[in-house]
PDB file of all heavy atoms in Angstrom:
ATOM      1  N   GLY A   1       0.791  -1.221  -0.022  1.00 52.00           N
ATOM      2  CA  GLY A   1      -0.017   0.020  -0.033  1.00 52.00           C
ATOM      3  C   GLY A   1       0.821   1.190  -0.016  1.00 52.00           C
ATOM      4  O   GLY A   1       1.935   1.312   0.539  1.00 52.00           O
ATOM      5  N   ILE A   2       0.282   2.321  -0.646  1.00 60.00           N
ATOM      6  CA  ILE A   2       1.033   3.530  -0.644  1.00 60.00           C
ATOM      7  C   ILE A   2       1.352   4.097   0.821  1.00 60.00           C
ATOM      8  O   ILE A   2       2.302   4.703   1.098  1.00 60.00           O
ATOM      9  CB  ILE A   2       0.193   4.535  -1.371  1.00 60.00           C
ATOM     10  CG1 ILE A   2       0.166   4.194  -2.974  1.00 60.00           C
ATOM     11  CG2 ILE A   2       0.744   6.047  -1.274  1.00 60.00           C
ATOM     12  CD1 ILE A   2      -0.644   5.221  -3.811  1.00 60.00           C
ATOM     13  N   GLU A   3       0.317   3.934   1.677  1.00 66.00           N
ATOM     14  CA  GLU A   3       0.494   4.320   3.093  1.00 66.00           C
ATOM     15  C   GLU A   3       1.522   3.691   3.725  1.00 66.00           C
ATOM     16  O   GLU A   3       2.400   4.404   4.378  1.00 66.00           O
ATOM     17  CB  GLU A   3      -0.803   4.013   3.880  1.00 66.00           C
ATOM     18  CG  GLU A   3      -2.150   4.907   3.408  1.00 66.00           C
ATOM     19  CD  GLU A   3      -2.760   4.258   2.144  1.00 66.00           C
ATOM     20  OE1 GLU A   3      -2.284   3.116   1.836  1.00 66.00           O
ATOM     21  OE2 GLU A   3      -3.822   4.705   1.691  1.00 66.00           O
ATOM     22  N   ASP A   4       1.755   2.367   3.438  1.00 72.00           N
ATOM     23  CA  ASP A   4       2.898   1.646   4.111  1.00 72.00           C
ATOM     24  C   ASP A   4       4.150   2.133   3.527  1.00 72.00           C
ATOM     25  O   ASP A   4       5.156   2.399   4.159  1.00 72.00           O
ATOM     26  CB  ASP A   4       2.681   0.151   3.874  1.00 72.00           C
ATOM     27  CG  ASP A   4       1.590  -0.314   4.676  1.00 72.00           C
ATOM     28  OD1 ASP A   4       1.156   0.149   5.646  1.00 72.00           O
ATOM     29  OD2 ASP A   4       1.058  -1.479   4.207  1.00 72.00           O
ATOM     30  N   THR A   5       4.258   2.380   2.261  1.00 73.00           N
ATOM     31  CA  THR A   5       5.496   2.827   1.642  1.00 73.00           C
ATOM     32  C   THR A   5       5.844   4.258   2.254  1.00 73.00           C
ATOM     33  O   THR A   5       6.987   4.533   2.517  1.00 73.00           O
ATOM     34  CB  THR A   5       5.322   2.908   0.029  1.00 73.00           C
ATOM     35  OG1 THR A   5       5.000   1.650  -0.447  1.00 73.00           O
ATOM     36  CG2 THR A   5       6.546   3.510  -0.458  1.00 73.00           C
ATOM     37  N   ALA A   6       4.884   5.078   2.211  1.00 75.00           N
ATOM     38  CA  ALA A   6       5.111   6.460   2.921  1.00 75.00           C
ATOM     39  C   ALA A   6       5.604   6.260   4.217  1.00 75.00           C
ATOM     40  O   ALA A   6       6.426   7.054   4.674  1.00 75.00           O
ATOM     41  CB  ALA A   6       3.850   7.330   2.683  1.00 75.00           C
ATOM     42  N   ARG A   7       4.996   5.496   5.055  1.00 81.00           N
ATOM     43  CA  ARG A   7       5.382   5.357   6.371  1.00 81.00           C
ATOM     44  C   ARG A   7       6.855   4.870   6.532  1.00 81.00           C
ATOM     45  O   ARG A   7       7.452   5.480   7.399  1.00 81.00           O
ATOM     46  CB  ARG A   7       4.436   4.353   7.184  1.00 81.00           C
ATOM     47  CG  ARG A   7       4.764   4.137   8.550  1.00 81.00           C
ATOM     48  CD  ARG A   7       3.700   3.289   9.221  1.00 81.00           C
ATOM     49  NE  ARG A   7       3.521   1.970   8.576  1.00 81.00           N
ATOM     50  CZ  ARG A   7       4.316   0.973   8.531  1.00 81.00           C
ATOM     51  NH1 ARG A   7       5.323   0.873   9.388  1.00 81.00           N
ATOM     52  NH2 ARG A   7       4.131  -0.200   7.862  1.00 81.00           N
ATOM     53  N   ILE A   8       7.217   3.866   5.701  1.00 85.00           N
ATOM     54  CA  ILE A   8       8.542   3.449   5.801  1.00 85.00           C
ATOM     55  C   ILE A   8       9.567   4.509   5.324  1.00 85.00           C
ATOM     56  O   ILE A   8      10.597   4.708   6.036  1.00 85.00           O
ATOM     57  CB  ILE A   8       8.784   2.108   4.776  1.00 85.00           C
ATOM     58  CG1 ILE A   8       7.997   0.927   5.411  1.00 85.00           C
ATOM     59  CG2 ILE A   8      10.145   1.900   4.473  1.00 85.00           C
ATOM     60  CD1 ILE A   8       7.945  -0.236   4.417  1.00 85.00           C
ATOM     61  N   LEU A   9       9.170   5.272   4.283  1.00 85.00           N
ATOM     62  CA  LEU A   9      10.185   6.317   3.908  1.00 85.00           C
ATOM     63  C   LEU A   9      10.253   7.431   4.982  1.00 85.00           C
ATOM     64  O   LEU A   9      11.269   7.905   5.255  1.00 85.00           O
ATOM     65  CB  LEU A   9       9.783   6.861   2.622  1.00 85.00           C
ATOM     66  CG  LEU A   9       9.955   5.996   1.313  1.00 85.00           C
ATOM     67  CD1 LEU A   9       9.427   6.738   0.107  1.00 85.00           C
ATOM     68  CD2 LEU A   9      11.302   5.629   1.146  1.00 85.00           C
ATOM     69  N   GLY A  10       9.069   7.600   5.662  1.00 87.00           N
ATOM     70  CA  GLY A  10       9.028   8.630   6.629  1.00 87.00           C
ATOM     71  C   GLY A  10       9.867   8.249   7.863  1.00 87.00           C
ATOM     72  O   GLY A  10      10.650   8.995   8.534  1.00 87.00           O
ATOM     73  N   LEU A  11       9.710   6.961   8.229  1.00 91.00           N
ATOM     74  CA  LEU A  11      10.527   6.462   9.410  1.00 91.00           C
ATOM     75  C   LEU A  11      12.103   6.483   9.014  1.00 91.00           C
ATOM     76  O   LEU A  11      12.892   6.693   9.954  1.00 91.00           O
ATOM     77  CB  LEU A  11      10.076   4.954   9.710  1.00 91.00           C
ATOM     78  CG  LEU A  11       8.647   4.910  10.465  1.00 91.00           C
ATOM     79  CD1 LEU A  11       8.250   3.454  10.618  1.00 91.00           C
ATOM     80  CD2 LEU A  11       8.637   5.637  11.820  1.00 91.00           C
ATOM     81  N   LEU A  12      12.412   6.136   7.837  1.00 93.00           N
ATOM     82  CA  LEU A  12      13.746   6.083   7.545  1.00 93.00           C
ATOM     83  C   LEU A  12      14.330   7.513   7.583  1.00 93.00           C
ATOM     84  O   LEU A  12      15.474   7.744   8.053  1.00 93.00           O
ATOM     85  CB  LEU A  12      13.983   5.547   6.128  1.00 93.00           C
ATOM     86  CG  LEU A  12      15.307   5.567   5.413  1.00 93.00           C
ATOM     87  CD1 LEU A  12      16.309   4.760   6.215  1.00 93.00           C
ATOM     88  CD2 LEU A  12      15.288   5.065   3.941  1.00 93.00           C
ATOM     89  N   TYR A  13      13.580   8.417   7.002  1.00 94.00           N
ATOM     90  CA  TYR A  13      14.001   9.776   7.009  1.00 94.00           C
ATOM     91  C   TYR A  13      14.047  10.405   8.568  1.00 94.00           C
ATOM     92  O   TYR A  13      15.080  11.067   8.889  1.00 94.00           O
ATOM     93  CB  TYR A  13      12.857  10.666   6.318  1.00 94.00           C
ATOM     94  CG  TYR A  13      13.074  12.088   6.100  1.00 94.00           C
ATOM     95  CD1 TYR A  13      14.042  12.644   5.208  1.00 94.00           C
ATOM     96  CD2 TYR A  13      12.355  13.106   6.772  1.00 94.00           C
ATOM     97  CE1 TYR A  13      14.243  13.928   4.965  1.00 94.00           C
ATOM     98  CE2 TYR A  13      12.568  14.534   6.628  1.00 94.00           C
ATOM     99  CZ  TYR A  13      13.483  14.772   5.700  1.00 94.00           C
ATOM    100  OH  TYR A  13      13.729  16.223   5.502  1.00 94.00           O
ATOM    101  N   LEU A  14      13.151   9.951   9.335  1.00 95.00           N
ATOM    102  CA  LEU A  14      13.145  10.442  10.801  1.00 95.00           C
ATOM    103  C   LEU A  14      14.421   9.719  11.527  1.00 95.00           C
ATOM    104  O   LEU A  14      15.111  10.340  12.245  1.00 95.00           O
ATOM    105  CB  LEU A  14      11.921  10.064  11.448  1.00 95.00           C
ATOM    106  CG  LEU A  14      11.781  10.382  12.847  1.00 95.00           C
ATOM    107  CD1 LEU A  14      11.759  11.823  13.121  1.00 95.00           C
ATOM    108  CD2 LEU A  14      10.426   9.750  13.486  1.00 95.00           C
ATOM    109  N   GLY A  15      14.681   8.447  11.161  1.00 96.00           N
ATOM    110  CA  GLY A  15      15.771   7.804  11.673  1.00 96.00           C
ATOM    111  C   GLY A  15      17.151   8.400  11.436  1.00 96.00           C
ATOM    112  O   GLY A  15      17.915   8.503  12.167  1.00 96.00           O
ATOM    113  N   LEU A  16      17.293   8.802  10.085  1.00 96.00           N
ATOM    114  CA  LEU A  16      18.515   9.368   9.616  1.00 96.00           C
ATOM    115  C   LEU A  16      18.670  10.693  10.427  1.00 96.00           C
ATOM    116  O   LEU A  16      19.862  11.098  10.815  1.00 96.00           O
ATOM    117  CB  LEU A  16      18.474   9.551   8.132  1.00 96.00           C
ATOM    118  CG  LEU A  16      18.664   8.301   7.278  1.00 96.00           C
ATOM    119  CD1 LEU A  16      18.433   8.595   5.839  1.00 96.00           C
ATOM    120  CD2 LEU A  16      20.118   7.768   7.563  1.00 96.00           C
ATOM    121  N   THR A  17      17.537  11.481  10.466  1.00 97.00           N
ATOM    122  CA  THR A  17      17.727  12.840  11.100  1.00 97.00           C
ATOM    123  C   THR A  17      18.060  12.580  12.645  1.00 97.00           C
ATOM    124  O   THR A  17      18.916  13.381  13.115  1.00 97.00           O
ATOM    125  CB  THR A  17      16.258  13.509  11.138  1.00 97.00           C
ATOM    126  OG1 THR A  17      15.894  13.570   9.711  1.00 97.00           O
ATOM    127  CG2 THR A  17      16.371  14.939  11.712  1.00 97.00           C
ATOM    128  N   ALA A  18      17.438  11.713  13.298  1.00 97.00           N
ATOM    129  CA  ALA A  18      17.796  11.477  14.644  1.00 97.00           C
ATOM    130  C   ALA A  18      19.293  10.979  14.909  1.00 97.00           C
ATOM    131  O   ALA A  18      19.971  11.501  15.752  1.00 97.00           O
ATOM    132  CB  ALA A  18      16.805  10.335  15.230  1.00 97.00           C
ATOM    133  N   ALA A  19      19.717  10.132  13.933  1.00 97.00           N
ATOM    134  CA  ALA A  19      21.109   9.766  13.988  1.00 97.00           C
ATOM    135  C   ALA A  19      22.127  10.889  13.791  1.00 97.00           C
ATOM    136  O   ALA A  19      23.141  11.178  14.417  1.00 97.00           O
ATOM    137  CB  ALA A  19      21.425   8.728  12.861  1.00 97.00           C
ATOM    138  N   ALA A  20      21.678  11.969  12.843  1.00 98.00           N
ATOM    139  CA  ALA A  20      22.514  13.076  12.535  1.00 98.00           C
ATOM    140  C   ALA A  20      22.506  13.844  13.778  1.00 98.00           C
ATOM    141  O   ALA A  20      23.612  14.346  14.180  1.00 98.00           O
ATOM    142  CB  ALA A  20      21.941  13.733  11.300  1.00 98.00           C
ATOM    143  N   ALA A  21      21.368  14.132  14.485  1.00 98.00           N
ATOM    144  CA  ALA A  21      21.341  14.952  15.639  1.00 98.00           C
ATOM    145  C   ALA A  21      22.108  14.263  16.836  1.00 98.00           C
ATOM    146  O   ALA A  21      22.909  14.994  17.460  1.00 98.00           O
ATOM    147  CB  ALA A  21      19.999  15.151  16.050  1.00 98.00           C
ATOM    148  N   ALA A  22      22.047  13.029  16.839  1.00 98.00           N
ATOM    149  CA  ALA A  22      22.888  12.389  18.030  1.00 98.00           C
ATOM    150  C   ALA A  22      24.249  12.503  17.755  1.00 98.00           C
ATOM    151  O   ALA A  22      25.211  12.795  18.843  1.00 98.00           O
ATOM    152  CB  ALA A  22      22.426  10.859  18.079  1.00 98.00           C
ATOM    153  N   ILE A  23      24.761  12.297  16.614  1.00 98.00           N
ATOM    154  CA  ILE A  23      26.327  12.323  16.154  1.00 98.00           C
ATOM    155  C   ILE A  23      26.759  13.750  16.481  1.00 98.00           C
ATOM    156  O   ILE A  23      27.738  14.047  17.031  1.00 98.00           O
ATOM    157  CB  ILE A  23      26.523  11.805  14.893  1.00 98.00           C
ATOM    158  CG1 ILE A  23      26.165  10.331  14.664  1.00 98.00           C
ATOM    159  CG2 ILE A  23      27.910  12.176  14.454  1.00 98.00           C
ATOM    160  CD1 ILE A  23      26.300   9.786  13.385  1.00 98.00           C
ATOM    161  N   LEU A  24      25.968  14.740  15.995  1.00 98.00           N
ATOM    162  CA  LEU A  24      26.416  16.206  16.141  1.00 98.00           C
ATOM    163  C   LEU A  24      26.429  16.484  17.555  1.00 98.00           C
ATOM    164  O   LEU A  24      27.409  17.221  18.076  1.00 98.00           O
ATOM    165  CB  LEU A  24      25.576  17.122  15.344  1.00 98.00           C
ATOM    166  CG  LEU A  24      25.591  17.035  13.913  1.00 98.00           C
ATOM    167  CD1 LEU A  24      24.572  17.801  13.272  1.00 98.00           C
ATOM    168  CD2 LEU A  24      26.915  17.244  13.414  1.00 98.00           C
TER     169      LEU A  24
END
């Protein structure tokens, strides 16, 4: 489903952002 795909991409985007914030 489109909703599931959007959710996965959103979570990946959020995870990368959190990782960047933590490293900085």
Side-chain angles (χ1 to χ4, degrees):
I2 290 176
E3 296 83 0
D4 291 335
T5 300
R7 178 175 54 82
I8 286 173
L9 291 180
L11 288 174
L12 178 59
Y13 186 71
L14 182 63
L16 289 172
T17 306
I23 291 172
L24 291 176

